[in-house]
Amino acid sequence: MAKKTAHSTLQIRDLSAGYEQRKKTHVVVHDLNFECSTHELLAIVGANGIGKSTVLRTIAGMQPSLAGDISLMGAPMAQMNSLEIASNISVVLTEPPASKNLYVSELIALGRQPYTNWMGRLTEEDHHAVQHAMEQTETTQLAQRKCFELSDGQMQRVFLARALAQDTPVIILDEPTTHLDMYHQAYVFKLLKRLTSEIGKTILFATHDINLAIQLCDKMLVLTPDAYHFDTPCRLIEQRCFDTLFPKDTIHFDTKTGRFTMKN
Amino acid sequence: MTTASSFKKHFLLLGILTVAALFLNISLGSVGIPLDAIADVLLGGDSIKESWQFIITQYRLPKAITAMLCGSGLAVAGLLMQTLFRNPLAGPFVLGLSSGASLGVALLILGAGIAGGFLGTALVNPWSLVGASALGSFLVLLAVVVVTLRVKDTMAILIIGLMFGSVTSAVVAVLSYFSNAELLQKYIFWSFGSLGNVSWEGIGILAACCMTGMLWAIGKSKSLNALLLGENYAKSMGVHLKKNLLILVVITSLLAGSITAFAGPIAFVGLAVPHLTRQFFKTSNHLILLPAVMLFGSILMLLCDTVAQWPYSEWTLPINAITSLLGAPVVIWLLVRKKRLLF
C-alpha cells in the first residue's frame, strides 16, 4: 500500500504508568518507549491484568503518568489543557454509557463537544461530521434507537462513530472486540484498518484477539511480565516475543502460522 | 442533539397547562374565587370584593409562587442528581439532602431552645433557617459525593442517603427529648412542609436562590450532557470533572437547601418529575429537559397544593404527605409499565 507521507502523532518516552493509592505507588508498567505515526494501526496485547488499560488511560490523559513524557502532535501533552487533548485524542472505553436512555444520534453528537459553544449547539459543520461518522460505521439506521435497545456489536459501532465525530488524529480503544461475535470482531478490525490506511488516523487499541491483530496491525506492543516489545508483527514473531506472553501449560504460539493453538 | 425548536409544541402546551394550574390553584381554597375576578386582581384592576383581593394578594398568590418555585427547583435538583450520580433513583429526598436540611433546622430550632433566652430567639429567623438548611443539605451532598468518588457503586449512595435519614431522626429524637413543647411543635410543623407560611420577603429570598440555581444549571447543560456517557468519557471530551462536579453539588444544595428551609422537606417531586418529563420529551439533552422539568414541577406542585388546601373547607393538609401520596404511585407505575427505570 502506497502510504502518504506519514508523520509522528504520539511519542512515548520512558513512560511509567500505574496508580497512586494512599501514598503508595503501584507501578504497573515502566520505561515504555514507542512512537506512533499517521496511517498506523497499533495493538497492545498481553495477559489479563498486565496493564494494557492503564497504559491506554495514561496515554489518553485520563490518569496522570508516574514518570516520563508523552508528546502529542509534537507538543508535550503535560502542557496541554483538557480541550486541546480532547481535540487530538478520542477514546472508546469498555464501559457502557452511564445513561442507557440516550438516543444513538445524541450519543454520537456528544463527540462534537470539544468544538461546540457553551450551549452545545450543533452547527452545520457539526451535523455534517456526525452524519459522516454514522455513514462510516453504518449506524445511520440506528440513529433514532435508544442505547438499551442495541446489541453489543451495534453499541461498539455507535461508540466508534462518536469517536469519529470527535474528529481527532488519534483514536484510542480499550478492547473494542470484547463481547462481540466473530463476524463483528472482524468487522471492527477491518473498519479500524480502513480508518488508518484511508483516512490516516493513528489508532491504538488493547486487545485479546492476538490472532486477528497479528494479521492486520502495522505494529504491536507486547507486554509480558518481564519485558515489553514493540515492533511489526512479523519481526515480533521472528524474535519469538509471543512465546512468553502466556504460561506455557495450555496454549503455545505456532511461529509458522502466526497463531496461538491448543496444546495436545 | 435535538434542538429546542423541535419541542416547540411541547413547551407551548406545558406553558398553557402551567397558567391553567396557576389559576386553578388561586381560585380554589376555603373560599372559591371566580376566574375572572382573579384575572382582574392579577392585572391590577379593582376587584369586586375587597376580601377577595386581600386573599389573593396576601395569601394565595404568594403561596402559588412558592409552589411553583419549590416544584421547579426540586425537579431541577432531582434531574441534576440523577445525572450526577448516574442513578435513576437519585433525588434530593432519597439521597438524604432533605434529611440533612432537616437536621440543620432541627439543630437550630431545638438547639436554640436549649441554649435558651435572648440568644435562642435571636437565632431563629428566616435567614438563619435558610442558612442552616442549606448548610445541612450541602454537607450531606458533599459526603455523598466523597463516597461516590471512592466507591464506584451507585447502590452505595442510596445507602448513604438512608443512613443520613436515620441519623437525622435519631438526633431529632434526642433534641426533642430536651426541648419544650412549643419549639417541638414548631419543628414538627416545619417538617410537615408548608407553602403558605412564606412572606413576600421570604419569596424574594427563595426566588433569588432558585433562579440562581436553575439558570446556573441551564448554563451547565453541556457538561451535564457529557456526564450522561460517564465520567471517563466526559473527561475525554474536555470536561473539567472536579470543577463541574463541585459546581453541580453547589447548585443542587442551593436549590434543595433553600426550598427545604422555606417549605419544609417535600418528598418525591425531585424523583418523579424528571421521570415523568422523560415520558413526554424524547431527548436526553439537558438544555431541553431542564426547562421542561421546571414547568412540569411547577404544574405538579400547584396541583398538589390545590389538593392540600382541600377546596371549600377549613383544612390544609401537609403538602409533604400529598406529594408522597401522588409521587410514590407514579414511580411504581413507571417501573411496572416500563419494566425499567432509566435516567
Side-chain angles (χ1 to χ4, degrees):
Chain A
M1 203 178 310
K3 284 188 177 177
K4 292 154 212 161
T5 46
H7 53 90
S8 168
T9 46
L10 260 178
Q11 278 177 307
I12 317 294
R13 289 277 164 268
D14 305 320
L15 181 75
S16 291
Y19 298 91
E20 275 192 73
Q21 237 173 12
R22 295 188 187 155
K23 289 171 190 165
K24 259 192 189 169
T25 324
H26 297 273
V27 180
V28 182
V29 184
H30 58 88
D31 297 316
L32 269 183
N33 281 291
F34 64 94
E35 199 171 321
C36 315
S37 306
T38 52
H39 299 283
E40 272 186 346
L41 181 63
L42 306 103
I44 301 183
V45 297
N48 279 329
I50 199 90
K52 298 187 294 296
S53 300
T54 313
V55 171
L56 286 183
R57 290 170 55 86
T58 310
I59 296 174
M62 294 165 74
Q63 70 180 65
S65 62
L66 298 177
D69 303 299
I70 305 169
S71 44
L72 182 58
M73 313 306 283
M77 206 168 95
Q79 288 166 23
M80 291 185 171
N81 65 34
S82 54
L83 219 55
E84 281 171 325
I85 297 175
S87 54
N88 279 305
I89 300 183
S90 55
V91 297
V92 176
L93 306 168
T94 44
E95 59 193 67
S99 163
K100 302 237 177 2
N101 212 22
L102 268 173
Y103 282 93
V104 166
S105 55
E106 292 181 320
L107 194 157
I108 297 174
L110 281 176
R112 298 304 295 171
Q113 280 225 342
Y115 312 105
T116 53
N117 65 0
W118 67 272
M119 289 202 306
R121 212 183 118 87
L122 296 176
T123 61
E124 202 58 43
E125 193 190 337
D126 294 321
H127 281 297
H128 184 74
V130 170
Q131 281 301 326
H132 189 56
M134 289 204 273
E135 282 159 21
Q136 282 177 306
T137 50
E138 298 181 63
T139 46
T140 314
Q141 69 282 3
L142 300 175
Q144 292 313 310
R145 300 266 283 277
K146 287 189 172 188
C147 286
F148 68 83
E149 300 169 328
L150 302 183
S151 70
D152 287 338
Q154 290 170 329
M155 196 68 239
Q156 201 60 28
R157 267 166 33 212
V158 168
F159 266 128
L160 199 57
R162 190 208 64 83
L164 285 176
Q166 202 170 330
D167 196 17
T168 55
V170 181
I171 303 178
I172 288 179
L173 306 94
D174 195 359
E175 299 187 15
T177 53
T178 318
H179 304 304
L180 303 188
D181 59 37
M182 255 171 96
Y183 169 78
H184 280 96
Q185 286 180 358
Y187 180 94
V188 169
F189 269 100
K190 277 192 82 172
L191 181 60
L192 295 181
K193 184 70 188 169
R194 210 174 65 225
L195 292 172
T196 53
S197 60
E198 288 175 14
I199 309 176
K201 303 258 186 208
T202 301
I203 297 183
L204 180 64
F205 67 105
T207 186
H208 286 298
D209 211 322
I210 299 170
N211 293 339
L212 271 175
I214 287 176
Q215 290 177 48
L216 276 175
C217 289
D218 298 300
K219 280 174 188 163
M220 288 173 80
L221 178 66
V222 182
L223 297 174
T224 64
D226 308 315
Y228 76 88
H229 312 279
F230 179 76
D231 218 322
T232 60
C234 285
R235 276 203 237 135
L236 288 168
I237 294 173
E238 283 166 22
Q239 291 163 14
R240 310 190 72 83
C241 295
F242 294 106
D243 295 3
T244 49
L245 202 52
F246 299 115
K248 291 189 171 30
D249 47 352
T250 49
I251 50 171
H252 78 109
F253 188 74
D254 186 342
T255 324
K256 286 197 195 87
T257 55
R259 308 175 71 86
F260 276 94
T261 47
M262 289 286 265
K263 264 189 177 171
N264 300 321
Chain B
M1 287 269 151
T2 23
T3 49
S5 54
S6 37
F7 291 100
K8 253 183 195 156
K9 276 183 193 160
H10 292 67
F11 278 114
L12 193 67
L13 183 68
L14 273 186
I16 294 170
L17 283 175
T18 312
V19 175
L22 179 67
F23 271 84
L24 184 74
N25 181 277
I26 295 178
S27 108
L28 292 177
S30 51
V31 186
I33 300 176
L35 292 177
D36 51 341
I38 297 170
D40 248 12
V41 174
L42 291 186
L43 294 173
D46 287 320
S47 176
I48 309 125
K49 277 193 191 174
E50 211 162 284
S51 62
W52 286 355
Q53 185 156 5
F54 183 80
I55 290 173
I56 290 172
T57 57
Q58 294 307 311
Y59 183 69
R60 289 196 189 166
L61 189 60
K63 186 160 66 71
I65 291 174
T66 311
M68 288 171 73
L69 287 172
C70 291
S72 49
L74 285 173
V76 168
L79 181 63
L80 293 187
M81 292 175 85
Q82 286 168 13
T83 303
L84 186 60
F85 294 113
R86 308 179 293 279
N87 195 319
L89 278 179
F93 199 77
V94 184
L95 287 193
L97 250 73
S98 306
S99 304
S102 304
L103 189 59
V105 171
L107 284 173
L108 186 75
I109 294 183
L110 305 179
I114 294 165
F118 174 71
L119 184 70
T121 40
L123 274 176
V124 185
N125 63 56
W127 280 102
S128 63
L129 271 182
V130 178
S133 148
L135 194 67
S137 58
F138 179 74
L139 289 180
V140 170
L141 195 57
L142 215 56
V144 175
V145 168
V146 167
V147 172
T148 36
L149 287 180
R150 296 195 156 215
V151 189
K152 292 286 172 199
D153 180 5
T154 45
M155 220 47 197
I157 59 163
L158 295 182
I159 297 170
I160 296 285
L162 274 175
M163 293 303 114
F164 272 108
S166 316
V167 169
T168 306
S169 44
V171 172
V172 169
V174 171
L175 284 175
S176 44
Y177 184 80
F178 293 106
S179 326
N180 61 38
E182 192 194 338
L183 286 171
L184 195 59
Q185 194 187 32
K186 197 170 175 180
Y187 173 74
I188 296 284
F189 273 114
W190 175 84
S191 72
F192 279 161
S194 162
L195 300 170
N197 291 339
V198 187
S199 64
W200 277 111
E201 189 200 7
I203 287 178
I205 303 168
L206 182 61
C209 293
C210 285
M211 286 301 163
T212 311
M214 291 194 279
L215 289 177
W216 205 359
I218 290 178
K220 280 281 138 199
S221 42
K222 184 175 165 183
S223 305
L224 284 163
N225 288 337
L227 280 172
L228 288 174
L229 278 183
E231 293 181 359
N232 286 326
Y233 274 114
K235 217 172 170 181
S236 85
M237 293 187 292
V239 173
H240 281 278
L241 212 54
K242 277 189 182 157
K243 191 180 109 192
N244 277 295
L245 290 186
L246 184 69
I247 288 177
L248 291 177
V249 168
V250 169
I251 296 176
T252 314
S253 43
L254 182 68
L255 287 171
S258 62
I259 290 168
T260 312
F262 282 106
I266 295 173
F268 280 102
V269 175
L271 172 62
V273 170
H275 286 296
L276 276 175
T277 310
R278 288 192 192 94
Q279 304 304 310
F280 298 97
F281 283 79
K282 302 288 179 204
T283 178
S284 297
N285 189 353
H286 285 80
L287 203 57
I288 293 163
L289 278 184
L290 281 168
V293 296
M294 288 175 199
L295 290 172
F296 245 108
S298 304
I299 295 171
L300 193 81
M301 208 61 189
L302 284 169
L303 293 181
C304 281
D305 179 56
T306 312
V307 176
Q309 68 199 358
W310 210 255
Y312 307 110
S313 77
E314 299 289 311
W315 307 336
T316 310
L317 306 176
I319 187 76
N320 192 7
I322 304 294
T323 54
S324 298
L325 282 174
L326 202 83
V330 163
V331 173
I332 293 173
W333 170 71
L334 279 175
L335 252 173
V336 172
R337 202 180 69 105
K338 292 259 156 190
K339 298 188 182 67
R340 55 170 78 80
L341 200 60
L342 296 169
F343 69 96

